[in-house]
Amino acid sequence: MEEDEPELEAGLEAALELAPAVQAAIEQVFPSQDPLDRADFNAVEYINALFPTEQSLANIDEVVNKIRLKIRRLDDNIRTVVRGQTNVGQDGRQALEEAQKAIQQLFGKIKDIKDKAEKSEQMVKEITRDIKQLDHAKRHLTTSITTLNHLHMLAGGVDSLEAMTRRRQYGEVANLLQGVVNVLEHFNKYMGIPQIRQLSERVKAAQNELGQQILADFEEAFPSQGTKRTGGPSNVLRDACLVANVLDPRIKQEIIKKFIKQHLSEYLVLFQENQDVAWLDKIDRRYAWIKRQLVDYEEKYGRMFPAEWCMTERIAVDFCHVTRAELSKIMRTRAKEIEVKLLLFAIQRTTNFEGLLAKRFSGCTLADGTVKKPEVPPPSTNPFLEDETGAETDEIVMEKKLIDRFVADFKAQGPPKPNVDEGGAVLPSCADLFVYYKKCMVQCSQLSTGEPMIALTTIFQKYLREYAWKILSGNLPNSSGGLTITSLLKEKEGSEVAKFTLEELCLICSILSTAEYCLATTQQLEEKLKEKVDTSLMERINLTGEMDTFSIVISNSIQLLVQDLDAACDPALTAMSKMQWQNVEHVGDQSPYVTSVILHIKQNVPIIRDNLASTRKYFTQFCIKFANSFIPKFINHLFKCKPISMVGAEQLLLDTHSLKMVLLDLPSIGSQVVRKAPASYTKIVVKGMTRAEMILKVVMAPHEPPVVFVDNYIKLLADCSADTFQKILDMKGLKRSEQSSMLDLFRLRLPAPPPGGDGSGSLSLSAPTPEQESSRIRKLEKLIKKRL
């Protein structure tokens, strides 16, 4: 035994040596300052610490007793722990059995809930099945009623059309025919029905009969044989031209062709090749003859043909083609008689006449297919092509007073007269400017294609900018020395806002159209300059800054039109915010302020649209900018309507819906030709006015219980702004004490901001689907019908 004790002690010491990680964990869980608990315990050091001297051995019995007491306590703790572990297994098994029973009960409840959900779903399907059938029936019934009304209109219209055609009532036919054709388009998918096909054939037959009848009337009034015109203008022929606008374009082209041919027949006889006046020395007599004829046409036939036919320009263009052919033929025949002085004389007179035509006409008929485009002449090799005054190179440079002359002409002639039929005419000075530029560029390129072309480009840049600011921006209404839009349209309390007159609206549209023309022509001018200049100098030709200047003029013109219409609607919105909405007792027709807004829109928009007919994209920009300006202003005035009763909110909802419908129809309001509004514009109106409708729906909702009201607000408006919520409470007329508790509840009910977001702004809720939006509209219509 004594021999085994050293081995036993060594084994115990090895067993008590724990890993450093284990020892660190034990010290963290059971921290102790006792030396016996230390991992590096040394018995010798411990005994020396207890008995440092011989005198301390006198207390050895006391120390031994303490150690024995500590050993007994450790033994007791060990026994308690060991005995306690004997019951752990049994308790664990019992807890497992109880958990299994709870899981079985939970599965049973889940199965019951699933069965009930399936039964509820089936019940909902049975309930909604009938509703869907009613919706389909309503849709089909509405389509049937609409189709029946169109059929009734078509049948009656065809009968009236045939009767009016026989009586030559072209004035009534012009108004009726377009409507019949539009109604007939609704029946394109029903052409398999014999009755519909028969009506369509009757309409085509009436159109053919009208075409032949109108051509016969014009042939009788203006016979093609002979040079003497026996016919003259009449109301019947004027109305016949209106009908020809609706018929096949070939009818209109045939009328124009026969009339111009008959109108120029005298010219072909007077200036035949064998006549003395046909030679180059009397070429100015040709131009004098056409001038007299154009004046004669304006006096006698100007009102017979529609303005958009541009008959005066067509006659002039056809005269030019005939003259070109006749002069070419006679010059080939008498080539030996052509002298330099004679040729220069003819060129000078022809150039002057061409300049007069360029000022008088826009050239719009050259691209419509009814007039042949002139062939592009080959590059000139004429050595005598010089400035007609024999100017030197430095005289090609533009006169310094060119822009000043345009300014003086504008002041002398005044702004263009309102003529919505022509649609935003370009200022005449614009054509003069670019004709002069072209002349300078051609002359300069014949002398040098190097640095002089760069110098000429610099001069072009200077005067283009001056034209933009002095002629265009300088003549915009309410602008002085450039645009000062902030000084526009100040509203006076209790009075109507000063609006632009009809002349001023037409002037703004004319300046806008001119700026667009200048923008496009400046781009072409840059391309031509690059073609004429040396390749090494092309990079130095850049008119981008001047094009940007014209773009600024366009933007400012559109902003003036928007501000004018926007300010005209301000008094109506102010009247809306000052109404006593808490005293409204019943819902009636649309409110007077809505009628006032609609009136201003109907007064301004058709004028602007007709004057911007040639620049459709800028009219669309005008509509979009007006919607972006008017709708937020309307919502701000809506917040000022407080307090609002339930009936008052319903009346406002009806007014908002009326304004929404008018805004959606704004691009084509007052127009005989209904066009679908651009999708970008429709999206802005629907989004903005739907928000206004949602605000009123929240105001109409009861505020008890508060939790439901707050949740509905967050759902409908998707707005986290406490300021907006405060405005809604003010509109409902709640007291400050109630508002305080509602605001606290609102802040608590706000959803948590998405990760990485700042938690501000509107909620990121998904946009409503088209079906949901359609459902909302149907509910709104039902509400309005119920109140009416």
Side-chain angles (χ1 to χ4, degrees):
M1 292 297 292
E2 294 179 355
E3 294 177 355
D4 295 337
E5 285 181 1
E7 296 179 359
L8 180 60
E9 291 178 358
L12 289 174
E13 291 179 358
L16 292 175
E17 290 181 359
L18 303 177
V22 176
Q23 185 64 37
I26 293 174
E27 291 178 355
Q28 185 177 2
V29 176
F30 301 105
S32 175
Q33 300 296 329
D34 192 343
L36 293 174
D37 295 330
R38 295 178 59 85
D40 56 349
F41 174 74
N42 190 313
V44 176
E45 292 180 358
Y46 182 70
I47 293 173
N48 289 334
L50 292 176
F51 306 104
T53 62
E54 292 182 3
Q55 288 79 8
S56 61
L57 292 175
N59 298 326
I60 189 170
D61 293 334
E62 183 180 353
V63 173
V64 171
N65 291 331
K66 289 181 180 180
I67 293 175
R68 288 176 178 173
L69 178 61
K70 190 172 184 179
I71 292 173
R72 283 199 300 271
R73 288 178 179 175
L74 288 174
D75 291 340
D76 292 339
N77 290 336
I78 293 172
R79 282 194 299 270
T80 302
V81 171
V82 171
R83 291 172 181 172
Q85 292 298 321
T86 57
N87 298 326
V88 171
Q90 183 177 357
D91 294 340
R93 285 191 297 273
Q94 184 177 357
L96 180 61
E97 292 175 356
E98 292 177 355
Q100 290 175 344
K101 291 180 181 179
I103 292 173
Q104 291 178 354
Q105 293 176 357
L106 180 61
F107 275 118
K109 291 181 180 179
I110 292 174
K111 187 176 182 302
D112 293 340
I113 294 173
K114 183 178 178 181
D115 294 339
K116 292 180 180 179
E118 292 177 352
K119 292 180 181 179
S120 300
E121 182 180 1
Q122 185 64 28
M123 186 182 301
V124 171
K125 288 182 179 179
E126 293 176 357
I127 294 174
T128 57
R129 186 182 298 114
D130 295 337
I131 297 176
K132 290 182 180 179
Q133 291 178 353
L134 290 175
D135 287 342
H136 288 302
K138 178 184 176 182
R139 189 180 303 110
H140 294 158
L141 181 61
T142 303
T143 304
S144 300
I145 294 174
T146 303
T147 305
L148 184 60
N149 290 335
H150 287 164
L151 181 61
H152 177 71
M153 293 167 57
L154 179 62
V158 171
D159 294 337
S160 301
L161 181 63
E162 293 174 342
M164 293 176 183
T165 301
R166 289 191 297 270
R167 295 193 295 267
R168 281 181 165 77
Q169 296 176 340
Y170 295 136
E172 291 80 359
V173 169
N175 296 325
L176 178 62
L177 181 58
Q178 184 62 56
V180 170
V181 173
N182 292 338
V183 173
L184 187 62
E185 291 178 356
H186 294 282
F187 293 94
N188 288 336
K189 55 185 177 182
Y190 303 118
M191 286 302 171
I193 302 175
Q195 291 82 356
I196 302 298
R197 186 169 60 254
Q198 183 180 3
L199 287 174
S200 176
E201 292 173 354
R202 289 175 61 188
V203 172
K204 293 180 180 178
Q207 289 177 316
N208 293 333
E209 183 180 354
L210 277 170
Q212 298 301 323
Q213 190 170 292
I214 290 173
L215 289 177
D217 292 343
F218 270 93
E219 180 66 27
E220 181 180 354
F222 303 99
S224 57
Q225 300 296 330
T227 61
K228 187 176 180 180
R229 294 191 290 272
T230 60
S234 67
N235 293 333
V236 174
L237 295 181
R238 181 188 62 190
D239 295 338
C241 292
L242 299 178
V243 177
N245 269 336
V246 187
L247 295 175
D248 191 327
R250 288 176 295 181
I251 302 297
K252 169 185 170 182
Q253 295 172 7
E254 186 68 21
I255 293 174
I256 294 173
K257 180 180 178 181
K258 287 185 176 181
F259 180 82
I260 294 178
K261 181 179 180 182
Q262 197 273 344
H263 212 72
L264 295 179
S265 58
E266 180 181 349
Y267 173 69
L268 295 174
V269 175
L270 292 176
F271 294 90
Q272 287 182 359
E273 186 178 353
N274 56 359
Q275 300 293 329
D276 292 339
V277 294
W279 188 230
L280 296 178
D281 60 342
K282 298 181 177 62
I283 193 171
D284 50 350
R285 295 190 182 183
R286 294 176 180 267
Y287 306 137
W289 181 90
I290 189 60
K291 291 177 184 177
R292 291 194 301 270
Q293 294 303 313
L294 293 179
V295 172
D296 179 70
Y297 167 81
E298 291 289 349
E299 293 178 353
K300 293 183 179 180
Y301 307 102
R303 296 183 179 180
M304 187 176 74
F305 294 100
E308 63 269 18
W309 286 22
C310 303
M311 289 297 294
T312 308
E313 180 177 327
R314 295 179 188 276
I315 294 173
V317 170
D318 207 74
F319 167 82
C320 292
H321 289 306
V322 172
T323 302
R324 182 177 184 273
E326 293 294 321
L327 288 176
S328 299
K329 182 170 61 175
I330 195 172
M331 288 173 68
R332 285 194 297 268
T333 304
R334 303 171 62 175
K336 295 181 179 180
E337 302 179 28
I338 299 177
E339 298 177 352
V340 174
K341 292 184 178 179
L342 178 63
L343 186 60
L344 288 176
F345 168 79
I347 292 175
Q348 181 182 4
R349 293 294 187 269
T350 303
T351 302
N352 294 339
F353 178 69
E354 290 176 348
L356 177 65
L357 294 182
K359 294 180 181 179
R360 175 62 179 83
F361 304 116
S362 63
C364 61
T365 63
L366 298 178
D368 62 358
T370 59
V371 180
K372 294 182 179 179
K373 293 184 180 180
E375 297 178 357
V376 179
S380 176
T381 57
N382 185 1
F384 299 99
L385 186 58
E386 296 178 355
D387 187 53
E388 53 188 35
T389 61
E392 298 295 333
T393 305
D394 55 350
E395 293 183 357
I396 296 177
V397 178
M398 186 181 302
E399 300 176 1
K400 294 183 179 180
K401 302 296 183 181
L402 184 64
I403 301 299
D404 294 337
R405 180 171 64 84
F406 290 158
V407 174
D409 291 344
F410 187 90
K411 291 181 178 179
Q413 299 174 3
K417 296 181 179 180
N419 189 355
V420 297
D421 293 333
E422 294 185 1
V426 176
L427 297 179
S429 59
C430 178
D432 294 344
L433 178 68
F434 284 100
V435 168
Y436 192 80
Y437 279 176
K438 183 178 179 180
K439 177 181 176 182
C440 293
M441 180 176 62
V442 171
Q443 292 178 353
C444 185
S445 63
Q446 291 174 351
L447 298 172
S448 173
T449 58
E451 288 295 335
M453 288 292 291
I454 301 300
L456 183 66
T457 302
T458 304
I459 296 175
F460 286 174
Q461 291 173 326
K462 174 185 176 182
Y463 287 103
L464 282 173
R465 290 193 295 269
E466 287 194 12
Y467 185 85
W469 294 119
K470 290 185 179 181
I471 304 298
L472 300 182
S473 293
N475 288 300
L476 282 173
N478 285 350
S479 63
S480 178
L483 288 174
T484 56
I485 300 179
T486 56
S487 61
L488 294 173
L489 306 175
K490 295 183 179 178
E491 178 182 353
K492 296 182 179 180
E493 185 67 23
S495 65
E496 287 292 332
V497 177
K499 291 178 55 182
F500 287 141
T501 63
L502 175 60
E503 290 79 7
E504 289 173 330
L505 287 177
C506 293
L507 173 60
I508 295 173
C509 294
S510 181
I511 290 176
L512 192 155
S513 301
T514 303
E516 186 201 23
Y517 173 82
C518 291
L519 176 63
T521 312
T522 301
Q523 184 177 2
Q524 297 173 5
L525 180 64
E526 182 184 58
E527 296 173 356
K528 292 294 182 182
L529 286 169
K530 289 183 177 180
E531 291 177 3
K532 299 291 185 181
V533 77
D534 292 340
T535 307
S536 60
L537 301 176
M538 287 179 58
E539 296 181 355
R540 296 174 61 182
I541 294 180
N542 187 356
L543 300 181
T544 304
E546 289 64 40
M547 288 187 276
D548 292 341
T549 302
F550 289 117
S551 298
I552 292 173
V553 175
I554 293 173
S555 178
N556 291 339
S557 301
I558 295 174
Q559 190 64 26
L560 278 176
L561 297 174
V562 171
Q563 287 184 347
D564 178 59
L565 180 56
D566 197 18
C569 299
D570 280 347
L573 297 181
T574 303
M576 175 192 77
S577 62
K578 292 182 178 179
M579 289 181 63
Q580 302 296 324
W581 292 104
Q582 74 274 23
N583 297 331
V584 177
E585 297 179 353
H586 62 276
V587 178
D589 201 354
Q590 64 186 26
S591 301
Y593 75 88
V594 177
T595 304
S596 178
V597 171
I598 296 175
L599 177 62
H600 288 303
I601 290 176
K602 288 185 177 180
Q603 287 176 345
N604 283 36
V605 174
I607 297 174
I608 297 171
R609 180 183 60 245
D610 294 339
N611 278 272
L612 296 181
S614 59
T615 57
R616 190 74 186 176
K617 63 178 180 180
Y618 293 119
F619 174 70
T620 301
Q621 288 186 18
F622 160 77
C623 295
I624 292 175
K625 287 188 176 182
F626 173 72
N628 280 327
S629 174
F630 175 80
I631 294 176
K633 183 180 294 186
F634 172 73
I635 293 177
N636 289 335
H637 280 78
L638 203 60
F639 283 133
K640 297 178 182 179
C641 300
K642 55 186 178 181
I644 303 176
S645 63
M646 176 66 71
V647 180
E650 292 175 357
Q651 179 65 51
L652 277 171
L653 189 62
L654 173 63
D655 295 342
T656 303
H657 182 72
S658 300
L659 285 175
K660 180 180 179 181
M661 294 298 103
V662 171
L663 290 175
L664 288 174
D665 190 45
L666 183 139
S668 61
I669 194 168
S671 175
Q672 296 180 353
V673 180
V674 180
R675 295 183 179 179
K676 187 177 180 181
S680 57
Y681 170 79
T682 303
K683 182 179 180 181
I684 292 172
V685 173
V686 171
K687 181 179 180 181
M689 296 305 290
T690 300
R691 174 174 171 79
E693 292 172 343
M694 293 301 105
I695 290 173
L696 292 172
K697 288 184 178 181
V698 172
V699 174
M700 293 169 59
H703 59 278
E704 294 291 345
V707 174
V708 176
F709 175 75
V710 171
D711 289 344
N712 284 336
Y713 169 84
I714 296 175
K715 179 180 179 181
L716 291 176
L717 286 185
D719 194 336
C720 286
S721 173
D723 182 56
T724 304
F725 186 69
Q726 175 80 52
K727 293 177 181 179
I728 297 291
L729 299 180
D730 289 338
M731 294 173 70
K732 291 180 69 66
L734 297 183
K735 298 179 180 179
R736 288 298 176 183
S737 58
E738 294 177 315
Q739 291 187 16
S740 178
S741 60
M742 294 286 279
L743 283 170
D744 293 339
L745 180 60
F746 170 73
R747 295 186 181 95
L748 292 174
R749 302 293 294 180
L750 283 178
D758 56 0
S760 62
S762 299
L763 298 176
S764 300
L765 298 180
S766 59
T769 63
E771 292 78 7
Q772 292 172 338
E773 186 66 26
S774 177
S775 177
R776 292 178 181 178
I777 294 175
R778 287 198 298 269
K779 290 179 181 178
L780 178 62
E781 291 176 348
K782 290 180 181 179
L783 175 63
I784 294 173
K785 291 179 180 179
K786 179 180 178 181
R787 289 297 176 182
L788 291 177

